[in-house]
Amino acid sequence: MKFFKIFLNFYLNASIHVALAVFSLVKITEQYFELSVHHNLALFIFFSSITGYNFVKYAGVAKLHHRSLTKNLKVIQIFSFFCFLAMCFFALKLQKDTLLFTIPFNLLTLLYAVPFLSGFDKTLREVSYLKIIVVSIVWAGFTVLIPCVEVGFQLNIKLYLLMFQRFLIVIVLILPFDIRDVKYDAISLQTFPKKIGIQKTKRLGLSLMIIALVLEYAINNNGVSRNAFMIFFFLVLIFLMRSKIKQSKYYSSFWVESLPIIWWLILLGFCNL
């Protein structure tokens, strides 16, 4: 039991779980547009997610406490380095146009963690409401636009609608985290729960998911995919509405982040019936 807990904490803290969620959204995009399966791209995005998230989470900590890093953080640093190497390896197997399209999203990730505002002591993460917008844009770009560019899929209105839907979904998935972090976030960091309150935040999430549902019917004519999305839709609402400041340790970091993975697995299951 102790070993399982250590493994689970490493799995979450090393951003493997969130990378699997991103990977799942890439596979969903492939299903929606019937794209050819591209393992190199999916693995590039998977390892990019681990590298990017761990850079954002731990770069500042490593800089401040380099000599006194805990053993666990050192292990995560080493793991992240090997993931970075894997990311570079798979990047070499991608089209040049694909890598060019990743630049704006990589830049946003960098500026999310590196201070460059207000005398170079403020990041995008610390600007009111930008945190949730930046993360959602990056997820939408990497999980919708980049897979389509890699296989030469024509950029059309359905692709842009799917990007917008994915953007809204990621915003909603972040809201339980923001609700959890109300008591930890700085006063200057105006997240939705801090600005409009928890109940209005939940209503906002509900409204965004209804828009995402409407978009699903505009994007997708496949009844199987729609049914899978409906299950995902209700699961997201259940977890959003049950969110509170005092959450269990794994409520957001494991269960909420599992929802894209569950969506993909449901879609796979329905397609194989």
Side-chain angles (χ1 to χ4, degrees), residues 166-196:
R166 195 66 53 83
F167 170 79
L168 297 178
I169 288 171
V170 176
I171 286 179
V172 178
L173 291 175
I174 294 172
L175 293 179
F177 290 87
D178 283 350
I179 291 171
R180 179 197 66 184
D181 294 339
V182 162
K183 60 183 177 182
Y184 301 114
D185 287 333
I187 296 174
S188 59
L189 185 58
Q190 291 297 307
T191 60
F192 284 111
K194 289 182 76 71
K195 186 69 175 179
I196 65 176

Side-chain angles (χ1 to χ4, degrees), residues 2 18 33 36 53 60 64 80 95-96 123 145 155 164 172 195 200 208 213 217-218 243 246 257 273:
K2 184 179 179 181
V18 69
F33 291 140
S36 56
Y53 264 87
L64 293 172
S80 301
Q95 303 287 341
K96 289 182 180 178
T123 68
L145 180 62
L155 304 185
F164 183 53
V172 178
K195 186 69 175 179
K200 287 184 178 179
L208 295 182
L213 180 60
Y217 280 81
S243 298
K246 292 183 178 180
E257 282 189 346
L273 285 178

Side-chain angles (χ1 to χ4, degrees), residues 99-116:
L99 295 176
L100 287 174
F101 270 87
T102 67
I103 290 174
F105 305 113
N106 290 330
L107 185 60
L108 279 175
T109 302
L110 182 66
L111 297 180
Y112 186 82
V114 176
F116 75 103

Side-chain angles (χ1 to χ4, degrees), residues 218-229:
I219 296 164
N220 201 344
N221 295 321
N222 188 315
V224 170
S225 299
R226 286 179 177 177
N227 290 338
F229 182 83

Side-chain angles (χ1 to χ4, degrees), residues 60-71 73-74 77:
V61 175
K63 182 179 179 181
L64 293 172
H65 307 287
H66 180 70
R67 294 184 179 180
S68 59
L69 289 176
T70 65
K71 182 179 179 181
L73 188 51
K74 287 180 180 178
Q77 279 192 316

